[in-house]
Amino acid sequence: MKPVSLIQFLIEERRAGRINAELSLLIEVVARACKRIAVATSKGALGGVLGNAGSDNVQGEAQKKLDVISNEILLEANAWGGHLAACASEEMEDPQPIPDMYPKGNHLLLFDPLDGSSNIDVNISVGTIFSVLRCPEHVTEPKVEDFLQPGTQQLAAGYVVYGPATLLVLTFGHGTHEFTLDREVGSFMLSRRDIRIPAETAEFAINMSNQRHWEAPMQRYVGELLAGKEGPRAKDFNMRWVASMVADVHRIVTRGGVFFYPLDAKIKAKGGKLRLMYEANPMAFIVEQAGGAATTGRERILEIQPAGLHQRVPVFLGSRAEVEVATRYHREADVAHA
Ligand code: FDP
């Protein structure tokens, strides 16, 4: 098979009428910014980029130097391109307008510049997650409410994993595709087209240290997985937990599996751990486009009407059959308690 670069792939998508020139340019700019983030992350201690920045983000979490650097790289790269009406970052309270000196476009970009940042200092994979929405018509200065569109409205979503290899996984709603960064050439090359996540799996990912705080249906579901062959599922399950969502999701996109960040008593008041607009929606779009499923344990993530830019939700995603079992247990428990 002849190698296909990201640029060639984007041109093909344009010719097929699946994306317009502006969206294609936007993805090119995001990909270029992520190459710069890959360079920064790969320098490690030699780049002076490890450790805390000494500031907190909008979520009240300590920012790492690389969180701040990645955020700046993405903001700067996207400001002048002319393809965006505004962007929003997990690291910033409010949307970032496009400076007046640059032309504006019709798209809204949302991103988590460096997901899994608690893993930066220990040299474990981290990543960037992004989501693209259309700016509502006649809106020239987008406000928070213009971003609050359900995930079904996403025009594109993707993530980049900075691991042993740097990979970009992308969807425009016509399948999910993977590109691997050829470091010598400096280009993302198509490495898997139309990825399919197997419906069945025997591998799950969850932070088990929260077990005692989970709701009853989650206790039941994971209890059954742990019971293995002798239990009601009559099958042994294995567990994997990187604690970088991008890396855990990428494993699932590669060989199947299921990822959970459920509601628990500690985070109930916040609504969940992971952010709807920056993490749950883009990952749900990517996973669904690869044949998987994504719910909050109660409803399909992509159908949630967002109430806030930094809203948090529970996340269940991956191999369809397992997401369905865990979601069914939650719905059954809700009915029994209604
Ligand atoms: P991090 O806080 O390190 O950025 O979204 C944040 C995230 O990592 C996910 O990547 C990861 O799955 C999860 O939080 C891990 O959180 P806990 O260690 O609190 O379970």
Side-chain angles (χ1 to χ4, degrees):
M1 194 182 79
K2 244 181 120 198
V4 176
S5 69
L6 174 65
I7 309 292
Q8 284 173 305
F9 178 86
L10 293 172
I11 292 171
E12 281 171 17
E13 293 297 287
R14 271 168 63 184
R15 287 190 184 142
R18 292 199 271 264
I19 58 171
N20 63 24
E22 195 176 281
L23 182 53
S24 164
L25 177 65
L26 193 167
I27 298 299
E28 273 183 55
V29 171
V30 170
R32 206 175 315 136
C34 290
K35 283 189 235 172
R36 287 185 56 200
I37 299 174
V39 170
T41 52
S42 68
K43 286 198 184 353
L46 303 182
V49 293
L50 301 185
N52 287 342
S55 49
D56 282 354
N57 68 8
V58 52
Q59 328 277 345
E61 297 155 344
Q63 283 181 308
K64 297 281 182 183
K65 284 185 196 157
L66 268 173
D67 282 326
V68 176
I69 293 168
S70 307
N71 196 46
E72 277 164 10
I73 289 175
L74 279 157
L75 287 178
E76 191 196 298
N78 282 289
W80 59 270
H83 47 274
L84 282 186
C87 50
S89 162
E90 193 198 285
E91 299 295 326
M92 303 182 311
E93 176 103 48
D94 299 312
Q96 173 91 1
I98 300 303
D100 284 340
M101 58 206 186
Y102 298 124
K104 285 189 188 165
N106 295 322
H107 293 90
L108 301 174
L109 173 68
L110 299 100
F111 52 82
D112 176 356
L114 208 62
D115 177 71
S117 47
S118 50
N119 277 329
I120 292 171
D121 295 345
V122 289
N123 200 28
I124 288 176
S125 298
V126 288
T128 298
I129 311 173
F130 61 92
S131 161
V132 182
L133 295 165
R134 187 172 285 115
C135 184
E137 261 186 65
H138 311 303
V139 172
T140 49
E141 298 200 347
K143 308 250 172 336
V144 169
E145 56 267 29
D146 299 309
F147 284 83
L148 302 184
Q149 306 178 31
T152 48
Q153 297 298 104
Q154 291 173 103
L155 301 178
Y159 63 80
V160 176
V161 196
Y162 310 109
T166 293
L167 302 172
L168 163 68
V169 173
L170 184 64
T171 185
F172 294 118
H174 301 277
T176 292
H177 315 287
E178 179 202 81
F179 301 82
T180 301
L181 181 62
D182 181 331
R183 289 181 208 265
E184 278 91 67
V185 179
S187 300
F188 279 107
M189 304 301 295
L190 185 64
S191 38
R192 283 192 295 156
R193 199 189 276 274
D194 255 321
I195 296 169
R196 301 316 287 167
I197 298 174
E200 306 280 342
T201 184
E203 202 164 66
F204 69 102
I206 194 162
N207 184 342
M208 284 296 296
S209 71
N210 294 323
Q211 183 173 24
R212 68 192 187 284
H213 304 294
W214 297 337
E215 297 179 295
M218 202 64 210
Q219 301 272 5
R220 173 187 172 197
Y221 173 74
V222 175
E224 290 183 4
L225 302 188
L226 297 178
K229 268 207 180 92
E230 292 73 38
R233 300 296 304 275
K235 175 168 147 183
D236 285 336
F237 286 80
N238 193 14
M239 202 195 89
R240 284 282 183 277
W241 176 251
V242 182
S244 284
M245 189 193 194
V246 274
D248 281 309
V249 170
H250 191 67
R251 184 184 59 253
I252 290 166
V253 161
T254 304
R255 65 180 191 208
V258 66
F259 170 96
F260 300 99
Y261 217 112
L263 210 53
D264 70 44
K266 280 191 306 172
I267 53 175
K268 198 163 183 174
K270 291 182 175 172
K273 157 92 190 187
L274 301 173
R275 271 52 56 130
L276 174 62
M277 307 299 287
Y278 311 105
E279 295 168 316
N281 267 342
M283 290 309 201
F285 192 24
I286 289 164
V287 164
E288 281 200 7
Q289 283 297 314
T295 75
T296 61
R298 271 129 182 144
E299 56 185 326
R300 185 179 169 220
I301 286 173
L302 293 182
E303 288 174 3
I304 297 172
Q305 174 57 53
L309 207 47
H310 298 285
Q311 180 177 351
R312 295 171 189 253
V313 291
V315 173
F316 295 22
L317 62 76
S319 291
R320 180 165 288 282
E322 285 310 315
V323 174
E324 280 171 6
V325 176
T327 304
R328 177 161 56 80
Y329 285 6
H330 284 73
R331 288 186 182 146
E332 282 171 7
D334 289 349
V335 171
H337 288 102

mmCIF file of all heavy atoms in Angstrom, residues 34-54:
data_model
loop_
_atom_site.group_PDB
_atom_site.id
_atom_site.type_symbol
_atom_site.label_atom_id
_atom_site.label_comp_id
_atom_site.label_asym_id
_atom_site.label_seq_id
_atom_site.Cartn_x
_atom_site.Cartn_y
_atom_site.Cartn_z
ATOM 1 N N CYS A 34 0.529 19.944 17.584
ATOM 2 C CA CYS A 34 0.793 18.725 18.375
ATOM 3 C C CYS A 34 2.192 18.178 18.109
ATOM 4 O O CYS A 34 2.799 17.574 18.995
ATOM 5 C CB CYS A 34 -0.278 17.667 18.105
ATOM 6 S SG CYS A 34 -1.877 18.160 18.806
ATOM 7 N N LYS A 35 2.718 18.408 16.915
ATOM 8 C CA LYS A 35 4.112 17.989 16.661
ATOM 9 C C LYS A 35 5.056 18.792 17.554
ATOM 10 O O LYS A 35 6.034 18.263 18.065
ATOM 11 C CB LYS A 35 4.476 18.222 15.187
ATOM 12 C CG LYS A 35 3.909 17.168 14.263
ATOM 13 C CD LYS A 35 4.486 17.350 12.877
ATOM 14 C CE LYS A 35 3.396 17.489 11.865
ATOM 15 N NZ LYS A 35 3.871 17.845 10.528
ATOM 16 N N ARG A 36 4.738 20.064 17.752
ATOM 17 C CA ARG A 36 5.576 20.886 18.640
ATOM 18 C C ARG A 36 5.450 20.398 20.091
ATOM 19 O O ARG A 36 6.427 20.371 20.842
ATOM 20 C CB ARG A 36 5.178 22.362 18.549
ATOM 21 C CG ARG A 36 5.612 22.999 17.235
ATOM 22 C CD ARG A 36 5.308 24.487 17.210
ATOM 23 N NE ARG A 36 5.897 25.199 18.318
ATOM 24 C CZ ARG A 36 5.481 26.406 18.740
ATOM 25 N NH1 ARG A 36 4.474 27.000 18.134
ATOM 26 N NH2 ARG A 36 6.063 27.001 19.745
ATOM 27 N N ILE A 37 4.231 20.013 20.476
ATOM 28 C CA ILE A 37 4.049 19.495 21.847
ATOM 29 C C ILE A 37 4.822 18.180 21.994
ATOM 30 O O ILE A 37 5.444 17.923 23.028
ATOM 31 C CB ILE A 37 2.545 19.305 22.176
ATOM 32 C CG1 ILE A 37 1.810 20.652 22.079
ATOM 33 C CG2 ILE A 37 2.368 18.691 23.572
ATOM 34 C CD1 ILE A 37 0.299 20.570 22.234
ATOM 35 N N ALA A 38 4.820 17.359 20.942
ATOM 36 C CA ALA A 38 5.554 16.081 20.981
ATOM 37 C C ALA A 38 7.039 16.348 21.203
ATOM 38 O O ALA A 38 7.709 15.643 21.967
ATOM 39 C CB ALA A 38 5.337 15.307 19.677
ATOM 40 N N VAL A 39 7.562 17.377 20.536
ATOM 41 C CA VAL A 39 8.986 17.716 20.696
ATOM 42 C C VAL A 39 9.236 18.145 22.141
ATOM 43 O O VAL A 39 10.180 17.691 22.793
ATOM 44 C CB VAL A 39 9.405 18.832 19.702
ATOM 45 C CG1 VAL A 39 10.800 19.353 20.023
ATOM 46 C CG2 VAL A 39 9.339 18.315 18.274
ATOM 47 N N ALA A 40 8.341 19.007 22.668
ATOM 48 C CA ALA A 40 8.519 19.504 24.045
ATOM 49 C C ALA A 40 8.453 18.355 25.046
ATOM 50 O O ALA A 40 9.308 18.260 25.942
ATOM 51 C CB ALA A 40 7.462 20.554 24.362
ATOM 52 N N THR A 41 7.461 17.461 24.911
ATOM 53 C CA THR A 41 7.322 16.362 25.882
ATOM 54 C C THR A 41 8.527 15.414 25.797
ATOM 55 O O THR A 41 8.976 14.892 26.806
ATOM 56 C CB THR A 41 6.030 15.543 25.671
ATOM 57 O OG1 THR A 41 5.975 15.136 24.312
ATOM 58 C CG2 THR A 41 4.786 16.308 26.004
ATOM 59 N N SER A 42 9.040 15.223 24.580
ATOM 60 C CA SER A 42 10.098 14.213 24.423
ATOM 61 C C SER A 42 11.440 14.677 24.998
ATOM 62 O O SER A 42 12.331 13.862 25.193
ATOM 63 C CB SER A 42 10.261 13.837 22.948
ATOM 64 O OG SER A 42 10.791 14.935 22.251
ATOM 65 N N LYS A 43 11.592 15.960 25.251
ATOM 66 C CA LYS A 43 12.866 16.442 25.813
ATOM 67 C C LYS A 43 13.004 16.075 27.294
ATOM 68 O O LYS A 43 14.099 16.022 27.825
ATOM 69 C CB LYS A 43 12.957 17.953 25.652
ATOM 70 C CG LYS A 43 13.249 18.407 24.231
ATOM 71 C CD LYS A 43 13.749 19.836 24.278
ATOM 72 C CE LYS A 43 14.021 20.529 22.979
ATOM 73 N NZ LYS A 43 13.979 19.887 21.738
ATOM 74 N N GLY A 44 11.875 15.857 27.977
ATOM 75 C CA GLY A 44 11.933 15.491 29.390
ATOM 76 C C GLY A 44 12.728 16.495 30.210
ATOM 77 O O GLY A 44 12.668 17.706 29.976
ATOM 78 N N ALA A 45 13.513 15.976 31.135
ATOM 79 C CA ALA A 45 14.256 16.850 32.053
ATOM 80 C C ALA A 45 15.211 17.785 31.300
ATOM 81 O O ALA A 45 15.469 18.905 31.735
ATOM 82 C CB ALA A 45 15.050 15.999 33.043
ATOM 83 N N LEU A 46 15.695 17.343 30.127
ATOM 84 C CA LEU A 46 16.669 18.170 29.385
ATOM 85 C C LEU A 46 16.045 19.452 28.849
ATOM 86 O O LEU A 46 16.732 20.433 28.597
ATOM 87 C CB LEU A 46 17.267 17.365 28.221
ATOM 88 C CG LEU A 46 17.941 16.054 28.607
ATOM 89 C CD1 LEU A 46 18.539 15.376 27.392
ATOM 90 C CD2 LEU A 46 19.034 16.312 29.655
ATOM 91 N N GLY A 47 14.710 19.434 28.671
ATOM 92 C CA GLY A 47 14.035 20.629 28.158
ATOM 93 C C GLY A 47 13.622 21.577 29.267
ATOM 94 O O GLY A 47 13.052 22.637 29.000
ATOM 95 N N GLY A 48 13.852 21.187 30.511
ATOM 96 C CA GLY A 48 13.435 22.017 31.652
ATOM 97 C C GLY A 48 11.928 22.155 31.737
ATOM 98 O O GLY A 48 11.406 23.154 32.225
ATOM 99 N N VAL A 49 11.197 21.127 31.237
ATOM 100 C CA VAL A 49 9.739 21.254 31.152
ATOM 101 C C VAL A 49 9.003 20.402 32.185
ATOM 102 O O VAL A 49 7.777 20.383 32.202
ATOM 103 C CB VAL A 49 9.232 20.874 29.737
ATOM 104 C CG1 VAL A 49 9.703 21.882 28.711
ATOM 105 C CG2 VAL A 49 9.661 19.457 29.362
ATOM 106 N N LEU A 50 9.731 19.683 33.032
ATOM 107 C CA LEU A 50 9.049 18.831 34.015
ATOM 108 C C LEU A 50 8.652 19.650 35.240
ATOM 109 O O LEU A 50 9.158 20.747 35.455
ATOM 110 C CB LEU A 50 9.944 17.660 34.419
ATOM 111 C CG LEU A 50 10.396 16.734 33.276
ATOM 112 C CD1 LEU A 50 11.185 15.550 33.819
ATOM 113 C CD2 LEU A 50 9.207 16.238 32.449
ATOM 114 N N GLY A 51 7.739 19.104 36.019
ATOM 115 C CA GLY A 51 7.374 19.740 37.286
ATOM 116 C C GLY A 51 6.214 20.705 37.179
ATOM 117 O O GLY A 51 5.648 20.911 36.105
ATOM 118 N N ASN A 52 5.877 21.284 38.329
ATOM 119 C CA ASN A 52 4.722 22.175 38.405
ATOM 120 C C ASN A 52 5.057 23.566 37.889
ATOM 121 O O ASN A 52 6.179 24.049 38.044
ATOM 122 C CB ASN A 52 4.247 22.285 39.864
ATOM 123 C CG ASN A 52 3.546 21.016 40.305
ATOM 124 O OD1 ASN A 52 3.117 20.208 39.480
ATOM 125 N ND2 ASN A 52 3.423 20.827 41.598
ATOM 126 N N ALA A 53 4.001 24.208 37.344
ATOM 127 C CA ALA A 53 4.191 25.577 36.856
ATOM 128 C C ALA A 53 4.042 26.578 37.995
ATOM 129 O O ALA A 53 4.357 27.746 37.843
ATOM 130 C CB ALA A 53 3.177 25.869 35.766
ATOM 131 N N GLY A 54 3.481 26.109 39.126
ATOM 132 C CA GLY A 54 3.280 27.004 40.263
ATOM 133 C C GLY A 54 1.953 27.732 40.192
ATOM 134 O O GLY A 54 1.715 28.681 40.925
#
